[in-house]
Amino acid sequence: MHKIQAWGASAAGKPLAPMSIERREPGPRDVVIEILFCGVCHSDIHQARDEWSGAMFPMIPGHEIVGRVTRVGGEAKKFAVGELAGVGCMVDSCRACGPCTEGLEQFCEKGNAPTYNGTEMDRKTPTYGGYSTEIVVDEGYALRVPTGLDPAGVAPLLCAGITTYSPLRQQGCKPGDRVGVVGLGGLGHMAVKLAASMGAKVTVLSTSAAKEADARRLGAADFVVTKGGNAFERLAGKFDIIVDTVSAPHDYNAYLGLLRPRRAMVLVGAPPAAVPVQPFSLIMGGKQLAGSLIGGIAETQEMLDHCEKHGIVSDIEIIPIQKINEAYERVLASDVRYRFVIDMASLRGPSA
Ligand code: NAP
Ligand code: ZN
Ligand code: ZN
């Protein structure tokens, strides 16, 4: 074991502060990654504030990690020292159950090992995330990072990218489909870019009128403010796919009314409270309300390769780790354009 620098929460809702944690010495299949950039996901905030309950402290958030491989275990073949590597929301799973063998490691029957706020598969050793200088991970759960893309802009693809790519693929998104994206934050802006890259005609449904120009620049053909006005009447029955990325409770029934018959609205946003769904919102039109959780490892690599092909990265604002608490407040105020990414050099410098 060796000590490294990190920032984390010592208890639910406490401001994040510097702390040191221990990383394991690399095993035969491990890679050691010097973390260059880590994205700030709204899930980091939900968990650091224990909004989904069951949080484990101290917590080092961060599951949108891009870094450089500095050491590889004796049997590790996937990476050479000096290459870029990414880590998303999982660092291990059982590798033997049905979901694991089908490339759905996120749904491992034994429970995957999340990158933070959980344990390794021994169910004892706590995992710590990417707001830190280094991570040690089994090479099978590390992703190859396209070299032609800005590594800071790639970091958010490891969660926001795969979380929106996967439901679009599951729903068979194809050229000409009308896709509604609810909420233009970190996930939402990736949903717009990815759906547009698949040839869909994208409409952003937002509570923030000021985001219209951005939505169009990101690839949306239409932008609708959902507060007030007649958006819900005007767009009734228009969409083939709706991806709902909103982090706070809101009325799903209203959005289900915007689907064409037999089509699906997929929830990826995870508000920490139950929301009533009226049976007739689904029965009328034979609609589906679905959910989606990140994506498997192979699908995450497929998403990164898709982004390389289409030149897609996240729109980011780079911050030093010392600004993380301020960044959390801005995310909560829907004031993020469109993902904060921590430059981890700030954690290695003299002021750290
Ligand atoms: P984010 O950057 O904060 O974006 C959320 C967006 O939702 C905001 O920008 C805002 O967009 C909209 N919004 C916020 N509060 C709202 C309210 N009260 N009513 C209506 N709209 C509201 O968050 P994110 O990082 O994209 O994450 C979004 C959600 O997805 C979080 O709950 C997160 O935990 C979850 N998540 C799920 C997965 C998964 O695998 N399923 C993975 C990652 C994250 P407008 O200003 O455009 O309205
Ligand atoms: Zn996330
Ligand atoms: Zn499994």
Side-chain angles (χ1 to χ4, degrees):
M1 302 289 267
H2 55 284
K3 274 200 181 346
I4 60 149
Q5 289 303 306
W7 270 56
S10 55
K14 280 269 173 73
L16 270 57
M19 39 184 80
S20 73
I21 53 164
E22 296 208 316
R23 293 292 190 199
R24 66 174 181 262
E25 292 308 315
R29 290 182 313 189
D30 283 339
V31 291
V32 180
I33 301 169
E34 178 192 37
I35 300 176
L36 301 174
F37 298 103
C38 184
V40 176
C41 180
H42 203 121
S43 301
D44 299 348
I45 305 175
H46 288 309
Q47 294 183 90
R49 298 185 179 195
D50 197 14
E51 292 175 354
W52 294 333
S53 82
M56 296 167 62
F57 295 94
M59 183 190 299
I60 310 294
H63 57 207
E64 293 184 336
I65 299 167
V66 167
R68 203 166 286 288
V69 175
T70 56
R71 277 197 281 168
V72 296
E75 292 166 24
K77 303 247 171 335
K78 192 165 161 184
F79 298 93
V81 168
E83 283 181 337
L84 291 174
V87 180
C89 302
M90 290 178 281
V91 289
D92 207 353
S93 68
C94 87
R95 306 160 199 227
C97 71
C100 278
T101 53
E102 288 162 24
L104 296 170
E105 298 89 347
Q106 71 273 39
F107 304 125
C108 174
E109 287 173 1
K110 298 229 159 74
N112 69 58
T115 302
Y116 70 88
N117 192 28
T119 61
E120 299 282 358
M121 295 310 286
D122 65 7
R123 297 299 172 221
K124 283 188 251 169
T125 313
T127 53
Y128 297 118
Y131 298 3
S132 60
T133 53
E134 180 194 286
I135 191 164
V136 183
V137 61
D138 184 289
E139 65 168 1
Y141 294 78
L143 287 304
R144 284 185 302 278
V145 170
T147 48
L149 299 175
D150 168 31
V154 167
L157 303 180
L158 276 306
C159 176
I162 182 59
T163 300
T164 49
Y165 178 88
S166 183
L168 289 167
R169 281 284 188 242
Q170 287 167 52
Q171 298 303 322
C173 182
K174 60 182 188 311
D177 276 359
R178 289 200 60 174
V179 172
V181 173
V182 190
L184 193 65
L187 268 56
H189 95 290
M190 288 313 310
V192 173
K193 290 188 183 209
L194 290 165
S197 74
M198 294 172 194
K201 189 161 179 262
V202 183
T203 299
V204 170
L205 301 127
S206 171
T207 59
S208 308
K211 294 180 180 175
E212 172 157 11
D214 285 344
R216 293 187 188 277
R217 179 178 51 76
L218 294 164
D222 197 6
F223 178 89
V224 172
V225 179
T226 48
K227 277 188 195 153
N230 67 346
F232 288 97
E233 291 94 77
R234 183 164 72 77
L235 294 172
K238 290 277 190 286
F239 293 111
D240 296 290
I241 305 166
I242 296 176
V243 180
D244 185 327
T245 75
V246 175
S247 50
H250 57 291
D251 181 15
Y252 295 140
N253 302 284
Y255 294 93
L256 286 165
L258 307 185
L259 279 177
R260 293 176 63 194
R262 293 266 168 105
R263 302 302 166 106
M265 168 157 124
V266 186
L267 305 183
V268 288
V275 178
V277 174
Q278 301 301 331
F280 278 110
S281 300
L282 296 168
I283 291 171
M284 301 308 288
K287 294 168 184 176
Q288 296 172 42
L289 180 60
S292 192
L293 178 69
I294 49 172
I297 296 295
E299 193 179 33
T300 304
Q301 192 64 59
E302 178 189 308
M303 176 276 308
L304 287 167
D305 297 345
H306 175 94
C307 288
E308 180 178 35
K309 189 169 156 206
H310 294 269
I312 295 174
V313 288
S314 172
D315 282 26
I316 58 169
E317 180 175 337
I318 295 188
I319 55 163
I321 189 75
Q322 293 79 6
K323 294 262 190 232
I324 188 67
N325 293 303
E326 214 175 286
Y328 275 18
E329 291 308 322
R330 285 185 53 198
V331 171
L332 290 169
S334 298
D335 178 25
V336 50
R337 302 288 190 277
Y338 278 87
R339 199 57 141 187
F340 289 109
V341 169
I342 306 161
D343 179 353
M344 222 46 78
S346 60
L347 187 47
R348 295 193 184 86
S351 63

